[in-house]
Amino acid sequence: MDTHGPIDIEPGHSVVFLTGAGISAESGIRTFRDARGLWEEHRVEEVASPEGFAADPALVWRFYAQRRAQALTVAPNPAHHALADLERTLGPERFFLATQNVDHLHEAGGSKDVVHMHGELFRTRCSDEDCPTLPFHDERHDFPTLPRCSCGALQRPHIVWFGEIPFEMHTIKRRVQACDLFVTVGSSGVVYPAAGLVREMLYRQEQGERVRSVYVGLERPENANAFDAVILGKAGEVLPGLFRVLGA
Ligand code: NAD
Ligand code: ZN
């Protein structure tokens, strides 16, 4: 595949995008990688695991309160807008977007349907798995006391922490198994099961299907060999104009 020219989307073909922290980097949200295992100066296990929350819920809420406050100050970049444009052009049958990001920048950029497989920064839920209270939109970022559910249990961020199972994997896999083109943007390819989704495309190619996969990001990801093409560059510079929808 010519990695410099536009990538054609044929009439009737469908595309699945998987985005990672790299797509939000140009908006000013630091990636995990930049922080070298630390996430804004915290070890990830402290602030992003069920064990960390059990050990020190106040620290975890302080951390996510800071993430919320920061996210309220950033804006989507041309990469987010490019995916929103493509969604408008292709429609829901032919376009699917799953993100590992917990920020709201895809929505802020105009995307209508976004599957947040790792949860959402601006949602909160009850920490008691059996509580019927549903997750709710929550922009609070100042907690004088630990927030509690009406059932008495602590509330927690609606985030998929390390050791927890991502949301909607079944839907995501089904869409990847049915798409013609799978594109990953700005994801280092180390966090599973997200990093393993591209293997579905390899498997389908082995079955003789003519499907393609492309990676777009600053550097080669850990799972680079599984992609048909790796396009190196900033998401905000590469994505606008990368796709040509034929017959649209
Ligand atoms: P990662 O931080 O491990 O990798 C980011 C990747 O993006 C790197 O490969 C890097 O080369 C690339 N990158 C950096 N700047 C880029 C740019 N301008 N354009 C294109 N690519 C660029 O991120 P990950 O693979 O998404 O996995 C980390 C985990 O951390 C995820 O589970 C995610 O939920 C979480 N996280 C989320 C956010 C967010 O919501 N914005 C931020 C940090 C971490
Ligand atoms: Zn509850």
Side-chain angles (χ1 to χ4, degrees):
M1 178 188 286
D2 174 14
T3 54
H4 300 289
I7 295 172
D8 288 341
I9 300 173
E10 316 261 343
H13 278 192
S14 68
V15 193
V16 169
F17 282 88
L18 170 67
T19 62
I23 199 168
S24 294
E26 287 157 80
S27 294
I29 299 186
R30 273 215 281 175
T31 65
F32 197 39
R33 268 284 167 104
D34 290 340
R36 295 175 204 294
L38 292 180
W39 201 350
E40 304 288 341
E41 279 61 63
H42 295 282
R43 284 188 301 120
V44 284
E45 312 86 78
E46 280 174 35
V47 293
S49 77
E51 295 77 18
F53 185 69
D56 194 346
L59 170 73
V60 173
W61 265 119
R62 262 200 318 278
F63 173 77
Y64 283 100
Q66 285 166 10
R67 303 281 71 69
R68 282 180 180 178
Q70 182 203 25
L72 286 167
T73 69
V74 299
N77 68 58
H80 297 104
H81 291 300
L83 296 194
D85 286 346
L86 207 53
E87 178 184 31
R88 271 190 294 274
T89 306
L90 294 174
E93 304 288 316
R94 299 177 59 199
F95 179 94
F96 182 81
L97 169 58
T99 185
Q100 299 171 80
N101 296 343
V102 299
D103 65 52
H104 62 310
L105 290 176
H106 281 301
E107 288 88 346
S111 286
K112 294 282 169 261
D113 244 322
V114 186
V115 171
H116 282 272
M117 59 188 296
H118 290 166
E120 289 172 75
L121 198 49
F122 292 116
R123 283 171 89 76
T124 294
R125 71 168 191 261
C126 181
S127 62
D128 181 348
E129 301 289 315
D130 299 322
C131 176
T133 307
L134 295 173
F136 59 94
H137 184 81
D138 186 8
E139 293 188 11
R140 288 176 298 173
H141 51 275
D142 186 18
F143 296 97
T145 57
L146 276 173
R148 284 189 185 273
C149 177
S150 55
C151 76
L154 286 178
Q155 290 176 338
R156 59 165 278 181
H158 188 52
I159 302 276
V160 177
W161 285 328
F162 287 94
E164 297 185 316
I165 298 164
F167 300 135
E168 301 200 51
M169 276 314 289
H170 183 74
T171 306
I172 298 169
K173 265 202 183 150
R174 195 168 46 76
R175 291 298 294 247
V176 173
Q177 285 164 352
C179 75
D180 300 280
L181 173 64
F182 174 72
V183 186
T184 298
V185 184
S187 181
S188 54
V190 293
V191 176
Y192 281 80
L197 285 168
V198 64
R199 304 223 144 259
E200 300 284 344
M201 302 304 279
L202 274 184
Y203 174 77
R204 292 175 61 200
Q205 288 171 344
E206 282 160 20
Q207 307 301 306
E209 289 192 63
R210 292 187 59 233
V211 292
R212 294 176 295 168
S213 60
V214 177
Y215 179 83
V216 176
L218 263 193
E219 59 208 338
R220 283 176 70 79
E222 207 82 8
N223 57 351
N225 290 340
F227 290 91
D228 297 318
V230 172
I231 303 176
L232 296 182
K234 290 186 171 184
E237 291 169 7
V238 175
L239 284 187
L242 182 60
F243 302 97
R244 188 168 61 180
V245 181
L246 301 181

